[in-house]
């Protein structure tokens, strides 16, 4: 039984890696399950043992990322009643080990929007929900959009930069944003 579990875990990992590799070559819409299976070194039946279709694979990968990110977000912001921009570094640094290991995967998933499945939209919603829970403040649609755009787009930039953002850089950015808004 343990041998079967390890084989299953390895198959799922190979499927995910093959999927991310294919996303570097072509858009999601053009990827076929047979291509994912071939690249993963498995047959299509094995793919279908784990996933209904490529949309199910995408959905599960997105949910996995969101769960990891949510856990880190909660850990980093627990007991803190503010949601200031200064927290970006705290949030990013908490995600750093995961992001370094899954950078290509996350960037690939963030580009996909099937209408029903969209990591970027789900991440934005999660951040807005967390903001409103922490502050108890209701936001207008415009405010939600601006806040989510700021966090998610800076998150994407952070992943692409693949480096530590210093407190000084965050402070300089805040000053520029405040000057721009004022």
């Amino acid at each position: 039984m343990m041998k079967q579990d390890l084989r299953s875990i390895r198959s799922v990992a190979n499927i995910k890696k093959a999927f991310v590799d294919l996303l570097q070559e072509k858009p999601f819409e053009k990827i076929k399950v047979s291509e994912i299976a071939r690249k993963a070194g498995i047959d299509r039946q094995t793919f279908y043992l784990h996933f209904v279709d490529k949309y199910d694979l995408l959905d599960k990968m997105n949910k996995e990322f969101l769960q990891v990110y949510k856990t880190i977000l909660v850990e980093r912001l627990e007991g803190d009643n503010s949601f200031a921009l200064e927290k970006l570094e705290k949030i990013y640094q908490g995600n750093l080990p995961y992001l370094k290991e899954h950078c290509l995967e996350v960037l690939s998933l963030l580009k996909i929007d099937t209408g029903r499945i969209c990591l970027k939209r789900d991440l934005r919603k999660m951040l807005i929900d967390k903001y409103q829970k922490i502050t108890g403040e209701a936001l207008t649609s415009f405010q939600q959009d601006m806040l989510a755009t700021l966090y998610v787009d800076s998150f994407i930039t952070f992943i692409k930069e693949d480096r530590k953002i210093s407190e000084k850089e965050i402070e300089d950015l805040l000053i520029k944003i405040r000057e721009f808004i004022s």
Side-chain angles (χ1 to χ4, degrees):
M1 180 141 167
M2 182 63 137
K3 188 176 182 180
Q4 182 70 7
D5 290 345
L6 291 175
R7 191 176 322 142
S8 180
I9 291 168
R10 191 174 24 241
S11 291
V12 170
N14 289 342
I15 290 167
K16 289 177 179 179
K17 182 181 180 331
F19 181 57
V20 171
D21 289 348
L22 286 167
L23 286 169
Q24 304 318 300
E25 300 170 17
K26 58 174 89 176
F28 173 78
E29 298 77 22
K30 297 198 179 205
I31 295 174
K32 296 178 181 158
V33 169
S34 59
E35 293 173 305
I36 299 169
R38 191 176 322 111
K39 196 160 190 85
I42 60 168
D43 59 33
R44 285 180 40 211
Q45 309 320 78
T46 303
F47 177 92
Y48 289 120
L49 282 174
H50 302 286
F51 305 100
V52 174
D53 55 23
K54 69 179 184 176
Y55 294 91
D56 184 42
L57 169 60
L58 174 63
D59 191 43
K60 286 180 178 168
M61 289 177 72
N62 282 355
K63 285 179 179 168
E64 183 180 301
F65 169 74
L66 286 169
Q67 187 55 51
V68 168
Y69 191 80
K70 184 176 185 178
T71 300
I72 293 167
L73 191 66
V74 168
E75 286 173 5
R76 293 286 164 173
L77 303 179
E78 185 98 355
D80 195 338
N81 285 340
S82 64
F83 205 79
L85 241 158
E86 289 88 346
K87 289 189 179 180
L88 285 174
E89 180 184 18
K90 196 175 185 183
I91 294 167
Y92 296 149
Q93 297 311 323
N95 278 295
L96 198 54
Y98 180 85
L99 292 176
K100 282 190 176 198
E101 185 177 340
H102 299 277
C103 179
L104 192 58
E105 175 184 327
V106 173
L107 287 173
S108 298
L109 296 175
L110 282 165
K111 293 178 192 172
I112 303 169
D113 183 351
T114 68
R116 186 180 69 78
I117 305 168
C118 179
L119 179 59
K120 193 172 187 177
R121 181 184 57 231
D122 294 344
L123 183 58
R124 290 169 61 100
K125 182 181 178 341
M126 185 179 71
L127 287 164
I128 293 302
D129 291 348
K130 184 66 178 168
Y131 174 86
Q132 290 179 327
K133 183 179 178 189
I134 288 172
T135 65
E137 182 182 333
L139 298 173
T140 67
S141 293
F142 175 76
Q143 290 170 324
Q144 287 180 16
D145 232 18
M146 292 302 293
L147 183 65
T149 298
L150 178 63
Y151 274 91
V152 173
D153 286 351
S154 44
F155 173 78
I156 292 168
T157 301
F158 175 77
I159 296 172
K160 286 179 181 175
E161 289 291 319
D162 190 30
R163 65 182 178 85
K164 183 176 180 170
I165 298 175
S166 71
E167 287 181 34
K168 177 72 173 131
E169 286 177 292
I170 296 286
E171 186 180 320
D172 290 347
L173 177 62
L174 286 169
I175 290 168
K176 287 176 184 171
I177 291 171
R178 286 184 185 123
E179 286 172 356
F180 178 74
I181 292 173
S182 300

